Amino acid sequence: MRIRPTADPLRIGDLTLETLAADSGDPHGAVSAPFDEFAIVVCTKDEPPARLAAVIQGIPRACEVIAISASADAASEREALDATTSPVHFVRQDCPDLAGRLGDLGLDDLLRDGPDGSRRLAPGKAEAMLVGVLCAAALGRRLVGFVDADNHDPATVPEYAALFALGMARRKTGRAMVRLRWKGKRGPGKNRRDWGRASRVTNAALNRLLRDHTGAPDGAIVTGNAGEFALTLESALHAEWTTGYGAESHLLLQCLETALTGENEPMAREVFQIETLREHLHTQKPEAHIRRIIRESLVPVAASPLAGDALRAKIRRILDEPDDDARREDFVRYPSIASRGKTGPLIGSLAEYLRMANAPARR
């Protein structure tokens, strides 16, 4: 497998945005970046355990695999993973030991009160991804990728991992992000769609913001809601994470804000958008779920200092909300791990946690 450019690289301040596509090329050709630099994080919430296990088994064995669960029946997930031959570190978001370690080292803002009044890691995806980054660092990996669990075609998972590696092989700096654009997307038994329902809206808003400030061609951004993405560890530690379904889009928004304003340390200096060879077969979600993704992706855009009045007005119309609501930052923004000043102790504590409390399901 190879990747090829589909557009000229776009320079935005100190940020380089490259858009590429997978090319089957020589099916026996080797991926040029070693998988043993990667940890792959799979965040899951109430997906069938067998589906989670199938996704896990599609990840190349040289990668460290971290499954982070906010599911009601995490015990069944662990049982399903134990039945596989894939080594995997299994982390429950409601684990009190995990919450205690995070709270003791200054990450109390990630915690919420549990049913019994004790503190637990909040059950959101952003919190899971942030802990996944710490686990990747604790396992000594320099690159961390994220793969969704609601994948009905696990044969796509090795392709996602290969594209992460190929994208990272192009990087020239220590701060880079690879974001995958699916060739197509559909639910089981449904006709193919070239774009996701939420992605069309999020991409349009981010492209409008970019065009307003740079005159960039429309359609430069094609991965606004990329569920499959990878970061260098350096980028992941310097990223701000936001709650809700806008977490992935906000990572890209951060890159644009830093590049266009010159303020703050950049989370990434290179972004690679790569179109996959295969379409994505995923769990079909109801319209209310899609509306929630759109809202939680657009509210941070409307709250951005880069958003002009025309873009904010357009977002208000899309969300059908009054002025104050479309401007309101009603999402939680977590400061980067690096900015908290305790990166070393956090990584050390998570390494101990993975060894003692949650050993790999199989070795």
Side-chain angles (χ1 to χ4, degrees):
M1 182 184 292
R2 301 172 299 194
I3 53 177
R4 54 179 175 79
T6 57
D8 292 334
L10 183 62
R11 291 283 299 178
I12 310 163
D14 292 333
L15 176 69
T16 300
L17 178 70
E18 288 195 52
T19 304
L20 309 106
D23 186 337
S24 56
D26 177 4
H28 303 293
V31 173
S32 56
F35 287 124
D36 60 9
E37 294 183 33
F38 272 94
I40 303 294
V41 179
V42 182
C43 304
T44 185
K45 187 173 184 179
D46 298 325
E47 292 292 332
R51 185 172 302 143
L52 171 64
V55 169
I56 294 292
Q57 290 184 98
I59 298 171
R61 290 295 294 265
C63 302
E64 288 281 7
V65 183
I66 304 157
I68 302 185
S69 173
S71 301
D73 190 8
S76 293
E77 292 174 336
R78 181 63 187 253
E79 183 178 350
L81 295 179
D82 282 344
T84 74
T85 58
S86 298
V88 53
H89 299 271
F90 186 72
V91 177
R92 293 182 56 156
Q93 284 181 244
D94 64 354
C95 175
D97 184 21
L98 175 64
R101 290 171 182 272
L102 296 175
D104 288 345
L105 289 167
L107 270 66
D108 191 67
D109 52 333
L110 273 64
L111 309 182
R112 305 291 183 269
D113 290 332
D116 60 356
S118 61
R119 301 289 276 171
R120 296 287 187 271
L121 180 66
K125 188 176 182 181
E127 293 84 1
M129 290 192 293
L130 200 155
V131 168
V133 169
L134 288 170
C135 290
L139 294 167
R141 296 302 166 110
R142 297 170 49 205
L143 305 168
V144 55
F146 297 88
V147 174
D148 282 343
D150 66 335
N151 188 335
H152 290 250
D153 183 8
T156 60
V157 177
E159 180 189 350
Y160 297 161
L163 293 179
F164 289 163
L166 287 167
M168 285 299 179
R170 295 176 70 90
R171 75 189 190 277
K172 298 179 177 64
T173 70
R175 297 193 186 183
M177 175 164 57
V178 174
R179 299 172 69 87
L180 301 189
R181 176 198 181 188
W182 298 316
K183 183 73 173 181
K185 179 180 177 181
R186 61 186 174 92
K190 302 291 184 179
N191 293 328
R192 174 185 167 186
R193 293 193 308 275
D194 289 328
W195 293 93
R197 288 171 285 174
S199 296
R200 287 193 298 266
V201 179
T202 304
N203 287 341
L206 290 170
N207 276 307
R208 173 62 184 273
L209 183 147
L210 183 60
R211 188 171 68 251
D212 286 348
H213 289 271
T214 68
D218 200 22
I221 292 174
V222 295
T223 57
N225 289 111
E228 274 71 31
F229 66 96
L231 297 161
T232 61
L233 183 64
E234 187 176 342
S235 285
L237 292 173
H238 285 84
E240 290 183 349
W241 301 82
T242 58
T243 55
Y245 290 104
E248 293 95 344
S249 59
H250 189 260
L251 289 173
L252 187 52
L253 179 62
Q254 281 180 70
C255 295
L256 298 178
E257 287 179 343
T258 303
L260 290 169
T261 65
E263 299 175 0
N264 301 321
E265 193 174 2
M267 182 270 284
R269 294 186 171 90
E270 301 168 281
V271 175
F272 304 98
Q273 304 180 115
I274 307 176
E275 184 176 85
T276 64
L277 283 173
R278 301 167 67 106
E279 64 180 37
H280 183 74
L281 189 63
H282 70 120
T283 302
Q284 191 77 357
K285 298 295 179 26
E287 191 63 31
H289 178 84
I290 302 305
R291 291 292 301 172
R292 182 179 173 189
I293 294 176
I294 290 172
R295 185 181 192 283
E296 293 181 1
S297 298
L298 293 187
V299 167
V301 178
S304 171
L306 297 176
D309 290 340
L311 177 55
R312 288 194 174 111
K314 182 176 181 179
I315 290 174
R316 291 198 299 272
R317 289 194 298 271
I318 293 170
L319 301 181
D320 192 23
E321 294 182 346
D323 179 78
D324 288 346
D325 285 340
R327 288 175 178 265
R328 190 180 65 223
E329 291 196 52
D330 57 353
F331 56 94
V332 177
R333 188 194 303 260
Y334 295 123
S336 71
I337 297 170
S339 70
R340 296 171 184 259
K342 295 184 178 180
T343 304
L346 277 167
I347 292 171
S349 184
L350 264 291
E352 182 183 48
Y353 171 77
L354 291 173
R355 285 195 305 270
M356 298 176 60
N358 280 275
R362 183 181 294 273
R363 279 296 182 190

